[in-house]
Amino acid sequence: MSDDRHGDGETANFKMTRNEARVVIAALSDEEMTASSDRGMRIQNIQDRLSAEFDFDEHRGVEKGEMAAEDDTGWLDNDAIFGDNDPDDAERIELSRGEANVVTDALADFELDETKENAGTAENVRQRIADSFDR
């Protein structure tokens, strides 16, 4: 699924809902601001893959990460962006060990800064990703 595995041979698959993907993308966006160029590229690749998997690409503006709606309230609660897409729609996502580490690190940081509801979602996804590699 990813073109750039950075030598990570081990992969895991797990289900992720549309709403969870939004939380992951938001967490990765927060981390992308301070990431090194290599890590930033990996973050962008994961965001792009999730956006494509859940058809979020059509909602992005000309520049990566730019919201297409008039009111830029963000990925998590902007119904104008996601319209009638069911937040519980799920897709099977594959991540390499290295990608999973980037995602779980971003989610752990995100849990500390977000509302209880989104922090719970971030924690749940982070734990499922970690568990998928422990099998």
Side-chain angles (χ1 to χ4, degrees):
M1 189 177 258
S2 175
D3 297 333
D4 186 15
R5 294 275 184 217
H6 295 280
D8 300 297
E10 184 181 8
T11 63
N13 290 289
F14 56 93
K15 281 192 176 181
M16 182 182 293
T17 67
R18 177 178 299 280
N19 188 55
E20 290 169 341
R22 289 181 207 147
V23 172
V24 171
I25 289 170
L28 291 169
S29 293
D30 287 352
E31 180 158 330
E32 187 176 23
M33 305 270 190
T34 59
S36 67
S37 61
D38 285 346
R39 189 171 177 94
M41 181 63 81
R42 184 175 274 198
I43 288 170
Q44 187 62 58
N45 289 341
I46 297 166
Q47 287 174 313
D48 289 347
R49 236 172 52 227
L50 288 174
S51 293
E53 191 69 40
F54 287 95
D55 295 324
F56 293 157
D57 286 335
E58 66 189 7
H59 305 294
R60 293 188 140 192
V62 175
E63 295 181 24
K64 297 248 184 234
E66 178 186 1
M67 302 305 287
E70 291 286 324
D71 63 339
D72 188 11
T73 57
W75 283 102
L76 299 180
D77 57 1
N78 193 338
D79 291 335
I81 295 289
F82 298 103
D84 294 331
N85 292 325
D86 185 350
D88 295 324
D89 285 349
E91 298 290 340
R92 187 149 291 283
I93 304 299
E94 179 182 40
L95 294 176
S96 69
R97 169 74 75 176
E99 290 169 333
N101 289 340
V102 168
V103 172
T104 55
D105 289 350
L107 289 170
D109 291 342
F110 190 78
E111 288 171 42
L112 300 175
D113 294 333
E114 289 300 313
T115 65
K116 185 177 180 184
E117 178 184 7
N118 291 330
T121 300
E123 181 180 17
N124 181 287
V125 174
R126 182 178 52 79
Q127 190 60 54
R128 282 199 340 263
I129 291 170
D131 289 348
S132 67
F133 281 96
D134 291 340
R135 293 180 193 162

